[in-house]
Amino acid sequence: MLLPDGPKSPSIWQMFQWITRPFSFMSSCSHHYGDRFTVTFNKKFGPLVFFSNPEALKVILTGDDSKLFDAPGELNTAFEPLLGAQSVIGLSGDRHRRMRQLLMPSFHGERMRSYGQVIQDVTKEVMNELVAGEPLDVRKIMQKISLRVILRAVFGLNEGPRYQQLELLLANMLDKMSNPWKVSFLFFAILRHNFGPLSPWASFVRNRQQIDQLVYDEIAERRNHPDDSRTDILNMLLSARDEAGEALTDSELRDELMTLLVTGHETTATALTWALYWIHKLPAVRKKLLTELQALDGPSDPNVVIRLPYLNAVCSETLRIYPVGILTFPRVTRSGLKLTGTSLEPGTTVVGCIYLTHHREDIYPDPDEFRPERFLERRYSPYEYLPFGGGVRRCIGMAFAQFEMKLVITGILSCFELALADTRPVRPVRRGLTSGPSPFRMVINDQRVTNYLLRRKSLIVCKPISIRLSNLERKL
Ligand code: HEM
């Protein structure tokens, strides 16, 4: 098969590099072979062509809804052990379209904005649990926030033993998932085997069974006691009907709920962790953001917060510089075609490389520099800036994730003065199937902690932002 050039090393070595240091692997390939190159991670999957040219991405991502490309779920089997065979991520064609139609309404317009209060409450709740003056593992805190948010949005649960057990088990499972070695079975199907009770696969299966039991119990209880007044995603999915009038089965529901819990939690937690890092690493960024937040009139109205231009630019730049999802899901050519000068035969598997596209010098001058202003100075096309992918598999939770990022950042900066605990460099590393920052710590400024404890004593969780920021402004 005629394919663009790429590394000639054995596929096992390419896979090893892809798992252990994906960013330098991609940069080195693009340096040697340009904005299209072919890699081979394993013989069974075959060659994979990486594209990072916006013109090519436009054809790939608009073509996946036409006769040019398929977006087959069968190629996303790495997710199957976790999400199940009926997850929207693993479905193709009409079944995929049907599932998206059933899921999408939960993430639109008014419905999505109704989660605003949940996000603000959870942010306060988790931040108020923190111990004064101690170095904090930011990622753990962001994970706690995003897990509680998605659990409440999905199940409408916020108390009781089932909720507590689910939170604990999911946190435990997803924590393990962050280590590429502990989840090597996601990359190598041959490792999906019980090598003894302590083996990663056996422990994963045990953990998953416990989670499944709780999810099925919740589904059964909801079916037995329907309550139309509930506004959570599970309720919506229970009453959803496809074009043929069919409802989702229990196992379909389980797989979609797991999909939303996993995709909706890990990705947003990573994006928030990066955002807090950049905001506190770069004093000028923090100062501009605080000035914008200070101008808010009274307690933050989610509808106002989502429109703040500098906050939007900070979130966009966070998702540009080190995108959480490095690649789009694979697409496959239906027939032979020429893509920006490259001939592709039918059946060629291609991916949009989000990271390399976001690092093109011609679109983003000084691409390694964190500069939110670039998003105020110009607009980027959906093929130049695509942290959520595009086309028929574009991220279902895109609006939800952006909304959550903005509300959590506002909630934290409005009530707490944080600082990086040390000057160690933070770099992007692989986290299971996605990427994220290497671990770092932050501290809550002592003065702030005192104020914060006083506020708790007097039961004022959060004073109006304009008063609290005036002290901080003087220091800046
Ligand atoms: C900052 C946060 C997030 C990022 C960066 C992100 C990124 C992505 C990317 C790159 C894709 C692949 C798109 C493609 O192949 O074209 C994707 C798909 C997906 N995302 Fe997200 N995502 C985020 C948050 C969320 C949230 C909050 C949810 C749900 C609650 C979610 C659910 C999904 C689902 C279900 C898919 C698969 C869609 C399909 O196969 O049709 N994501 N996401």
Side-chain angles (χ1 to χ4, degrees):
M1 192 185 262
L2 191 66
L3 291 165
D5 220 355
K8 307 284 176 292
S9 46
S11 58
I12 185 85
W13 178 240
Q14 293 185 39
M15 180 68 149
F16 179 77
Q17 290 178 296
W18 174 241
I19 294 174
T20 52
R21 40 189 201 88
F23 292 94
S24 54
F25 176 68
M26 285 182 290
S27 301
S28 151
C29 289
S30 108
H31 179 72
H32 284 100
Y33 309 106
D35 59 10
R36 73 210 70 168
F37 53 85
T38 307
V39 298
T40 308
F41 293 141
N42 75 48
K43 289 267 153 48
K44 192 174 149 215
F45 196 84
L48 191 59
V49 187
F50 278 50
F51 279 95
S52 53
N53 175 325
E55 261 180 68
L57 292 175
K58 185 173 180 184
V59 179
I60 295 169
L61 296 175
T62 49
D64 64 4
D65 204 13
S66 69
K67 294 203 163 30
L68 294 180
F69 289 90
D70 280 318
E74 297 77 29
L75 295 181
N76 305 330
T77 48
F79 293 89
E80 197 180 313
L82 188 58
L83 309 181
Q86 298 168 93
S87 160
V88 63
I89 291 181
L91 300 179
S92 311
D94 288 345
R95 289 186 72 205
H96 174 246
R97 228 181 333 272
R98 164 186 179 260
M99 197 55 85
R100 275 185 76 98
Q101 273 163 8
L102 293 171
L103 290 173
M104 291 300 285
S106 299
F107 296 98
H108 267 293
E110 271 314 299
R111 170 66 63 152
M112 211 248 342
R113 273 192 282 282
S114 72
Y115 308 130
Q117 193 60 51
V118 170
I119 298 170
Q120 288 176 322
D121 290 349
V122 170
T123 308
K124 276 184 205 159
E125 200 179 282
V126 173
M127 292 304 288
N128 283 351
E129 286 168 5
L130 301 179
V131 179
E134 272 183 18
L136 312 165
D137 181 337
V138 187
R139 166 145 214 120
K140 281 219 163 93
I141 300 163
M142 294 308 111
Q143 258 176 309
K144 203 167 193 177
I145 293 180
S146 66
L147 180 55
R148 280 195 192 168
V149 165
I150 195 72
L151 269 171
R152 283 188 204 178
V154 166
F155 292 114
L157 287 175
N158 62 4
E159 53 192 21
R162 191 174 294 148
Y163 171 79
Q164 280 160 6
Q165 273 177 288
L166 256 177
E167 185 177 337
L168 212 73
L169 289 165
L170 277 165
N172 181 27
M173 175 185 264
L174 295 168
D175 208 40
K176 284 190 196 141
M177 290 288 166
S178 65
N179 180 331
W181 298 117
K182 285 193 183 156
V183 289
S184 41
F185 53 77
L186 295 181
F187 300 101
F188 301 102
I190 196 168
L191 298 177
R192 293 175 199 168
H193 185 78
N194 188 344
F195 294 106
L198 296 180
S199 66
W201 176 249
S203 130
F204 166 78
V205 171
R206 258 194 324 272
N207 204 180
R208 188 183 61 188
Q209 277 165 349
Q210 289 169 310
I211 294 173
D212 283 355
Q213 190 56 55
L214 294 167
V215 172
Y216 280 121
D217 287 350
E218 183 66 23
I219 295 172
E221 196 172 307
R222 294 292 193 87
R223 286 210 195 274
N224 293 336
H225 304 98
D227 176 356
D228 289 344
S229 67
R230 298 186 74 130
T231 54
D232 51 75
I233 295 174
L234 173 54
N235 232 35
M236 194 143 176
L237 292 181
L238 280 166
S239 55
R241 298 290 177 270
D242 63 17
E243 284 161 3
E246 296 287 327
L248 291 169
T249 63
D250 281 4
S251 64
E252 281 179 319
L253 274 171
R254 178 271 173 209
D255 289 358
E256 296 331 314
L257 294 175
M258 270 307 270
T259 301
L260 299 179
L261 290 173
V262 173
T263 53
H265 156 237
E266 171 73 17
T267 47
T268 315
T270 300
L272 280 166
T273 311
W274 269 126
L276 287 180
Y277 169 75
W278 289 116
I279 292 167
H280 294 88
K281 170 85 181 159
L282 303 169
V285 170
R286 178 156 166 261
K287 186 173 179 192
K288 274 193 189 173
L289 198 49
L290 289 176
T291 307
E292 187 173 75
L293 297 182
Q294 188 182 19
L296 287 178
D297 195 14
S300 323
D301 172 354
N303 291 319
V304 175
V305 171
I306 50 171
R307 290 197 186 86
L308 293 174
Y310 196 69
L311 177 61
N312 183 57
V314 169
C315 293
S316 302
E317 181 69 344
T318 299
L319 292 171
R320 178 198 69 83
I321 192 161
Y322 296 126
V324 183
I326 309 170
L327 305 176
T328 66
F329 288 122
R331 271 57 168 185
V332 176
T333 52
R334 283 191 174 185
S335 51
L337 76 136
K338 207 161 190 164
L339 202 53
T340 54
T342 306
S343 297
L344 299 176
E345 292 178 21
T348 308
T349 309
V350 305
V351 284
C353 185
I354 302 174
Y355 170 74
L356 289 177
T357 309
H358 286 184
H359 280 252
R360 289 180 68 103
E361 277 277 357
D362 58 341
I363 307 173
Y364 302 100
D366 302 316
D368 295 326
E369 208 178 288
F370 185 90
R371 211 172 63 78
E373 288 71 16
R374 49 176 115 236
F375 285 90
L376 301 173
E377 289 157 8
R378 70 163 273 200
R379 287 175 76 88
Y380 298 95
S381 83
Y383 313 105
E384 293 171 330
Y385 181 68
L386 62 161
F388 297 97
V392 297
R393 284 203 184 266
R394 191 175 79 166
C395 177
I396 285 177
M398 179 173 92
F400 186 86
Q402 289 170 321
F403 189 49
E404 182 174 351
M405 276 180 82
K406 291 176 183 177
L407 289 186
V408 174
I409 294 171
T410 307
I412 293 176
L413 292 197
S414 309
C415 292
F416 299 90
E417 188 185 324
L418 295 168
L420 290 171
D422 58 52
T423 53
R424 265 184 306 167
V426 173
R427 57 197 168 81
V429 292
R430 177 177 282 289
R431 282 189 58 86
L433 293 169
T434 56
S435 79
S438 54
F440 66 93
R441 288 174 179 265
M442 295 183 90
V443 282
I444 297 181
N445 173 302
D446 282 349
Q447 178 61 42
R448 273 302 166 115
V449 171
T450 319
N451 291 344
Y452 151 74
L453 290 175
L454 284 175
R455 285 203 300 275
R456 286 192 83 183
K457 251 190 180 162
S458 58
L459 294 177
I460 302 168
V461 179
C462 211
K463 288 182 191 170
I465 193 162
S466 49
I467 301 170
R468 280 173 294 103
L469 288 180
S470 55
N471 274 343
L472 191 58
E473 276 298 287
R474 251 178 269 131
K475 273 188 247 160
L476 293 168

